[in-house]
């Protein structure tokens, strides 16, 4: 059973040489940024069981008993 070794690659091989972003499907950046998520067809109301103050900018804050 053989395994690939670094000796099989050319001495000047590098991941960084191509300069291309491997995640750039549509040019530059994240390929998922252009996709707009479909809005849910069914919404389910939820009720907060306790108060919560978001700790980060992307976290929600809510009060106990609030329905969302």
């Amino acid at each position: 059973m053989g395994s690939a070794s670094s000796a099989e690659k050319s001495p000047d091989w590098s991941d960084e040489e191509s300069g291309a972003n491997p995640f750039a499907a549509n040019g530059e950046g994240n390929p998922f940024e252009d996709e707009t998520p479909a809005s849910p067809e069914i919404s389910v109301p939820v009720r907060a069981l306790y108060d919560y103050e978001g700790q980060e900018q992307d976290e929600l804050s809510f009060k106990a008993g609030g329905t969302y």
Side-chain angles (χ1 to χ4, degrees):
M1 180 158 125
S3 63
S5 70
S6 60
E8 294 174 11
K9 297 177 183 172
S10 65
D12 58 349
W13 181 87
S14 171
D15 283 338
E16 297 178 14
E17 259 182 52
S18 68
N21 180 349
F23 301 106
N26 299 325
E28 293 297 319
N30 185 341
F32 300 106
E33 286 177 350
D34 294 337
E35 296 178 19
T36 303
S39 50
E41 294 180 21
I42 300 173
S43 62
V44 178
V46 294
R47 180 171 293 136
L49 300 177
Y50 52 86
D51 291 353
Y52 181 77
E53 185 68 33
Q55 303 299 306
E56 301 290 330
Q57 186 177 12
D58 62 344
E59 295 181 340
L60 298 174
S61 298
F62 51 82
K63 300 287 184 187
T67 303
Y68 306 96

